[in-house]
Amino acid sequence: ETGVTQTPRHLVMGMTNKKSLKCEQHLGHNAMYWYKQSAKKPLELMFVYSLEERVENNSVPSRFSPECPNSSHLFLHLHTLQPEDSALYLCASSQDSGGAIDTQYFGPGTRLTVL
Amino acid sequence: AQSVAQPEDQVNVAEGNPLTVKCTYSVSGNPYLFWYVQYPNRGLQFLLKYITGDNLVKGSYGFEAEFNKSQTSFHLKKPSALVSDSALYFCAVRDFGTGRRALTFGSGTRLQVQP
């Protein structure tokens, strides 16, 4: 496997629930990413963290709130989601060398279903 | 803006035959190109990347890809397909000139290798 783990692997939640997705990378990288993969749509970048600072935020609704407490961990806090938010949420990490091309390595994803 | 097109939703090939999965890209600066593979209920696995140098890039599992600047293409190839190659393949591009770390992914091509 790639050294990026995600928990839980599956999550079912109601629209009024609050839950969190967790990602952990064991590769010594300093950049982490959240992507959303919906059926029949390309992967959508949600957030990018480099050295624990958010460096990109792609117009994601505020019901998704990321947190990066250190370079190995990334969370996605969820609240008052909509059924259309049901998707596979993928975490990735890379070594950001300030311009050098860094390959992103992905975790297995969390399959989220919003009822 | 950077974009990627994978014109085929699905490619069918017989085991032992050569396979090609097509990808074209659009960037304003220099392209950095990637191929990933996704097996059912799994995250994306890195196959290969083109940064600079030789236009023919070799990657994991016997795959290779050819960068063609004039045609803005980066097609994935394998001389002899295996049933186990059946999966979803994604092409991705990063425009180094923008300074963005994010990859832009194509919509994916499902490869079906028949025994």
Side-chain angles (χ1 to χ4, degrees), chain A residues 15-72:
Chain A
M15 289 191 286
T16 59
N17 292 157
K18 290 185 179 180
K19 297 286 184 183
S20 295
L21 309 185
K22 179 182 177 182
C23 176
E24 184 173 359
Q25 60 93 4
H26 312 275
L27 301 170
H29 290 162
N30 60 7
M32 298 186 78
Y33 310 74
W34 279 118
Y35 286 88
K36 177 183 178 183
Q37 185 179 24
S38 306
K40 300 182 180 180
K41 291 177 69 176
L43 272 77
E44 303 170 62
L45 177 72
M46 299 177 74
F47 302 103
V48 181
Y49 277 82
S50 179
L51 300 172
E52 300 146 45
E53 286 190 22
R54 191 187 311 178
V55 295
E56 290 190 39
N57 177 352
N58 275 20
S59 303
V60 179
S62 60
R63 57 185 183 269
F64 294 92
S65 175
E67 179 189 3
C68 187
N70 55 61
S71 59
S72 299

Side-chain angles (χ1 to χ4, degrees), chain B residues 14-34:
Chain B
E15 188 174 31
N17 283 0
L19 69 87
T20 299
V21 182
K22 295 180 180 177
C23 171
T24 58
Y25 66 90
S26 175
V27 297
S28 56
N30 290 322
Y32 297 98
L33 296 150
F34 301 78

Side-chain angles (χ1 to χ4, degrees), chain B residues 30-67:
Chain B
N30 290 322
Y32 297 98
L33 296 150
F34 301 78
W35 275 103
Y36 286 84
V37 59
Q38 187 177 32
Y39 296 97
N41 301 313
R42 304 281 289 276
L44 275 67
Q45 294 181 34
F46 170 72
L47 278 180
L48 52 81
K49 66 183 177 185
Y50 170 81
I51 305 301
T52 186
D54 194 347
N55 289 344
L56 186 64
V57 179
K58 294 188 183 296
S60 307
Y61 313 120
F63 283 93
E64 58 189 27
E66 186 169 11
F67 171 66

Side-chain angles (χ1 to χ4, degrees), chain A residues 2 4 27 29 91-94 103-107, chain B residues 36 44 46 49:
Chain A
T2 62
V4 180
L27 301 170
H29 290 162
C91 174
S93 72
S94 69
T103 300
Q104 293 179 26
Y105 293 91
F106 285 78
Chain B
Y36 286 84
L44 275 67
F46 170 72
K49 66 183 177 185

